[in-house]
């Protein structure tokens, strides 16, 4: 264990003799012992160290020295580091080189009013950033309509392929499983009333109106939305966006609008495909669990679904696709200048996209219900 002894070779000097093993695993003296010794003798103006009998040391010694150094600075006591090991001297110098900021403490230490104000300012800043980005996109749309937007058609084709054809496998799997789950849930309940055939109605309406567009949008949020944020964020870190501005290109036209247009166009098509896969999943469950033939199941599905149902689902899909692209591109354009900032932007893109999709789903469902659709 670590030991400490006190000596006063000079009237105003307190010598700390450190011996033994000063490691985190050992029981070490508390800095309060030194503070108590100094407080008992107001004449002490200098602290010195003798570590000739010190065997081992690690962070445990540095924590002790750091506390003593901080307390000595407050009391205007000179700290003589001459007797410390060379490594300890360098570490202590690094630890005390930069003063602690006054506002670097735990934010929970602030008052409730401070925290409420801080959250309000953050929300105001976020709202301002969103409105500013919406305004830039609106101006970009104006330039697109007038034919003055600066972009490459090859980029739009690439984004259409990435957001559409390359997303088919995951869209197939997720929507198929959603249809299976809906069919199983419906089968358990409807069997009790002898109305098993209405599983087709449940799966068809749910997939077309709600689950198909929503699940496809959530898949794209984690796939395309995150990719947009990472791509644009990396360009921000590498100063490529600054280079575009310097070269006279508008980043909104060149980077945002091709992605926004691609995802808005491809989400309804992926939704139609996803709806079909969900209905197929329900048909397989109905055939295996309820012994309903495929012919009867699809006949019931066609009878309950109307073009109006598909139109509502496609409208939602367009809205969801635009929101996912909006969240991904905005997070990328607001990215900082470091690798960690790219990761944070990607996380924000997914969270924002899913949140916007859920809110849009609730709002559109209420609106369509009020309008009688």
């Amino acid at each position: 264990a670590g030991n400490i002894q006190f000596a006063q070779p000079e009237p105003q000097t307190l010598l700390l003799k450190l011996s033994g093993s000063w490691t985190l695993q050992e029981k070490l003296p508390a800095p309060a012992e030194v503070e108590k010794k100094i407080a008992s003798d107001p004449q002490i103006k200098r602290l010195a160290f003798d570590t000739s009998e010190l065997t081992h040391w690690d962070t445990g010694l540095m924590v002790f020295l750091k506390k003593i150094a901080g307390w000595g600075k407050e009391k205007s006591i000179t700290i003589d580091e001459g007797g410390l090991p060379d490594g300890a001297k360098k570490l202590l110098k690094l630890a005390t080189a930069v003063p602690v900021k006054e506002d670097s403490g735990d934010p929970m230490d602030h008052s409730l009013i401070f925290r409420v104000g801080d959250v309000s300012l953050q929300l105001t800043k976020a709202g301002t950033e969103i409105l500013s980005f919406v305004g830039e996109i609106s101006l970009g749309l104006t330039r697109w309509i007038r034919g003055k937007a600066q972009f490459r058609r090859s980029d739009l084709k690439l984004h259409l392929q990435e957001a559409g054809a390359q997303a088919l496998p995951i869209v197939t799997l997720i929507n198929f499983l959603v249809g299976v789950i809906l069919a199983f849930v419906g089968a358990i309940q409807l069997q009790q009333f002898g109305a098993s055939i209405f599983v087709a109605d449940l799966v068809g309406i749910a997939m077309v109106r709600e689950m198909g567009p929503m699940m496809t949008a959530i898949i794209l949020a984690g796939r395309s939305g995150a990719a947009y944020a990472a791509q644009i964020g990396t360009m921000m870190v590498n100063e490529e966006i600054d280079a575009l501005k310097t070269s006279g290109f508008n980043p909104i036209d060149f980077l945002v609008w091709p992605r926004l247009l691609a995802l808005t166009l491809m989400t309804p098509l992926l939704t139609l495909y996803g709806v079909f896969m969900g209905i197929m999943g329900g048909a397989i469950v109905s055939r295996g669990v309820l012994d309903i033939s495929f012919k009867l199941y699809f006949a019931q599905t066609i009878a309950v679904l109307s073009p109006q149902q598909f139109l509502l689902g496609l409208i939602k899909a367009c809205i969801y696709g635009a929101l996912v692209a909006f969240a991904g591109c905005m997070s990328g354009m607001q990215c900082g200048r470091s690798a960690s900032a790219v990761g944070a932007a990607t996380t924000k893109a997914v969270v924002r996209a899913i949140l916007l999709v859920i809110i849009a789903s609730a709002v559109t469902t209420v609106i369509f219900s009020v309008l009688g659709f």
Side-chain angles (χ1 to χ4, degrees):
N3 297 309
I4 183 172
Q5 295 179 346
F6 302 102
Q8 287 187 270
E10 298 178 8
Q12 295 185 341
T13 300
L14 179 64
L15 179 64
L16 306 182
K17 295 183 178 181
L18 307 181
S19 60
S21 177
W22 283 69
T23 61
L24 292 174
Q25 291 75 21
E26 305 290 346
K27 184 177 181 181
L28 302 178
E33 297 182 19
V34 180
E35 298 173 7
K36 183 177 179 181
K37 181 66 176 178
I38 296 176
S40 64
D41 189 353
Q43 299 299 322
I44 296 176
K45 299 297 182 182
R46 176 172 170 268
L47 275 180
F49 299 92
D50 180 2
T51 58
S52 58
E53 299 181 8
L54 191 65
T55 58
H56 299 89
W57 65 275
D58 62 6
T59 310
L61 174 63
M62 297 311 305
V63 172
F64 177 85
L65 295 177
K66 179 68 170 58
K67 291 182 179 179
I68 294 299
W71 190 82
K73 185 177 181 180
E74 293 178 0
K75 300 298 182 180
S76 300
I77 296 177
T78 303
I79 305 298
D80 185 357
E81 304 172 0
L84 295 175
D86 292 338
K89 292 179 187 178
K90 295 178 181 179
L91 290 175
L92 185 61
K93 185 177 180 180
L94 289 174
T96 58
V98 180
V100 179
K101 294 183 180 180
E102 296 181 358
D103 58 347
S104 63
D106 188 352
M108 296 302 293
D109 294 338
H110 298 300
S111 65
L112 177 62
I113 296 178
F114 178 90
R115 281 180 280 164
V116 171
D118 185 54
V119 171
S120 301
L121 290 175
Q122 292 179 6
L123 292 176
T124 302
K125 180 181 178 181
T128 303
E129 292 175 347
I130 292 174
L131 290 177
S132 175
F133 193 70
V134 170
E136 292 179 358
I137 289 180
S138 301
L139 293 175
L141 176 61
T142 303
R143 290 190 293 271
W144 271 64
I145 295 175
R146 295 166 57 190
K148 295 185 177 181
Q150 299 170 315
F151 74 100
R152 295 185 300 184
R153 297 184 182 276
S154 59
D155 288 345
L156 178 58
K157 294 178 181 178
L158 176 62
H159 294 314
L160 286 172
Q161 179 181 353
E162 291 177 346
Q166 295 182 10
L168 285 177
I170 186 64
V171 171
T172 301
L173 176 63
I174 298 301
N175 282 283
F176 179 82
L177 293 178
V178 170
V180 169
I181 293 171
L182 290 174
F184 266 116
V185 173
I188 293 173
Q189 298 299 322
L190 294 174
Q191 272 184 321
Q192 301 178 15
F193 305 98
S196 301
I197 187 59
F198 290 107
V199 169
D201 300 52
L202 171 65
V203 175
I205 294 177
M207 288 301 302
V208 170
R209 291 188 61 119
E210 297 294 340
M211 298 307 297
M214 183 182 295
M215 293 309 301
T216 302
I218 291 176
I219 293 169
L220 294 177
R223 188 181 179 279
S224 300
Y228 293 168
Q231 291 167 359
I232 298 176
T234 302
M235 295 179 70
M236 184 71 74
V237 173
N238 295 335
E239 299 182 354
E240 295 177 48
I241 293 181
D242 295 335
L244 284 175
K245 293 179 180 179
T246 303
S247 302
F249 293 95
N250 191 309
I252 299 297
D253 296 348
F254 201 79
L255 300 175
V256 175
W257 260 106
R259 291 171 167 82
L260 182 64
L261 184 61
L263 209 57
T264 304
L265 292 176
M266 295 310 301
T267 304
L269 298 179
L270 288 173
T271 298
L272 282 176
Y273 176 75
V275 167
F276 173 75
M277 294 308 302
I279 293 175
M280 285 297 298
I284 292 175
V285 172
S286 299
R287 183 69 180 89
V289 176
L290 303 176
D291 197 24
I292 299 176
S293 66
F294 289 129
K295 182 178 180 180
L296 181 59
Y297 180 90
F298 285 113
Q300 181 67 22
T301 301
I302 295 173
V304 73
L305 293 180
S306 63
Q308 183 183 28
Q309 305 280 0
F310 282 97
L311 179 60
L312 297 180
L314 293 179
I315 291 175
K316 288 187 176 184
C318 290
I319 296 173
Y320 297 166
L323 291 176
V324 169
F326 172 84
C329 294
M330 183 178 69
S331 299
M333 294 296 292
Q334 295 175 353
C335 179
R337 302 281 182 168
S338 64
S340 60
V342 175
T346 305
T347 303
K348 288 181 181 178
V350 177
V351 174
R352 287 173 175 173
I354 294 177
L355 180 62
L356 290 174
V357 167
I358 299 298
I359 293 175
S361 175
V363 172
T364 53
T365 299
V366 171
I367 292 175
F368 291 156
S369 298
V370 171
L371 296 177
F373 296 119

